[in-house]
Amino acid sequence: MTRLLNFIEKFKAYLANFNENRKLMKEFRKENRKKRWKENPIYFLQGYLFIVFCIGILSTAIFMACGFRLSLYDSIPRGIYKVSSETPQKGDAVLISLCRCNDYYPLHDRAYTQGSLVKYFAAHAGDNITISNEGISINSKLWANSKIREKDSHNREMFSLLPSGIIPKGKALLLSKDNKSSFDSRYFGLVPIHILQKFIPVFTF
């Protein structure tokens, strides 16, 4: 019994000493932070900035993994969109990447030919495309801002892979609604429907 009481007393003393040391360390760290802040604010903030950076990277990874994208493309309203597995329909915004077999794909000196593109699903199989000096007409209705340009913004020659006629099965015509300088089907032609990903607006500004 005496040994048990002695053990309890020693344990209480240990806890009291531990709590006291913890308070001293807390005060020491607090004073040390004040000292570091006064001596070098930038160095003091590095640790916090690194934590914020890591949180930002993690948040971005989760954001992307869930299918969300921040879109700053000129072809659609800017904002936050979600890539959907739903089959896109005519009129939807869609996300694509040019196929390697497309004649525009090898033009590595032109940034607009690489990476992902966001356009509108303007026409599908059975629709009739007519190309004129005014632009692209779908079923005799002119699509706004669809005139084919001969030069791009860097005065480089542009060529068109889009033919007039009925769109065949499995193909889609992609255009922009408001951006007359958009790089779309006016140049790279019709694309396979199966490579389109529906791009659903979540919040636009």
Side-chain angles (χ1 to χ4, degrees):
M1 188 66 180
T2 303
R3 289 182 178 180
L4 180 59
L5 292 174
N6 288 337
F7 174 78
I8 292 174
E9 290 298 325
K10 288 181 179 180
F11 186 70
K12 287 181 177 179
Y14 171 79
L15 288 178
N17 186 50
F18 177 80
N19 288 331
E20 184 64 27
N21 287 336
R22 189 173 63 175
K23 289 179 181 179
L24 290 174
M25 287 299 297
K26 187 176 181 180
E27 289 296 325
F28 173 77
R29 287 194 294 268
K30 184 177 181 180
E31 291 298 324
N32 191 42
R33 283 197 297 269
K34 289 181 179 179
K35 183 179 179 181
R36 287 169 58 193
W37 172 256
K38 289 180 180 180
E39 291 178 351
N40 193 339
I42 301 301
Y43 178 80
F44 176 79
L45 290 173
Q46 283 180 347
Y48 294 97
L49 292 175
F50 178 74
I51 293 174
V52 171
F53 175 77
C54 290
I55 292 174
I57 293 294
L58 180 61
S59 300
T60 301
I62 295 174
F63 183 83
M64 297 287 285
C66 292
F68 293 98
R69 300 288 187 275
L70 174 63
S71 175
L72 300 177
Y73 297 100
D74 292 329
S75 297
I76 62 173
R78 298 182 179 185
I80 296 174
Y81 288 75
K82 189 177 189 301
V83 180
S84 172
S85 58
E86 297 177 25
T87 302
Q89 303 297 320
K90 187 175 177 180
D92 289 339
V94 293
L95 178 70
I96 70 156
S97 293
L98 284 186
C99 297
R100 292 180 179 274
C101 59
N102 190 284
D103 287 346
Y104 265 98
Y105 185 87
L107 300 181
H108 298 290
D109 61 325
R110 304 190 184 189
Y112 52 77
T113 65
Q114 305 299 311
S116 298
L117 303 172
V118 176
K119 308 298 172 186
Y120 282 102
F121 188 169
H124 52 41
D127 288 329
N128 186 23
I129 301 173
T130 304
I131 303 173
S132 67
N133 291 331
E134 295 180 331
I136 309 298
S137 294
I138 303 171
N139 300 326
S140 301
K141 184 178 181 180
L142 182 65
W143 187 279
N145 300 309
S146 62
K147 184 177 180 179
I148 298 176
R149 295 174 299 141
E150 296 181 354
K151 303 284 185 178
D152 66 10
S153 58
H154 294 281
N155 203 36
R156 294 172 296 195
E157 185 178 357
M158 299 289 289
F159 56 93
S160 176
L161 301 176
L162 181 66
S164 292
I166 304 297
I167 298 178
K169 184 179 180 179
K171 297 291 186 177
L173 176 74
L174 307 182
L175 297 171
S176 170
K177 287 186 177 179
D178 303 311
N179 183 13
K180 65 181 181 180
S181 299
S182 171
F183 177 65
D184 50 36
S185 283
R186 286 176 285 172
Y187 307 103
F188 56 71
L190 302 175
V191 299
I193 288 180
H194 69 81
I195 70 171
L196 305 182
Q197 292 181 290
K198 191 173 181 177
F199 213 47
I200 302 174
V202 177
F203 173 77
T204 58
F205 50 84

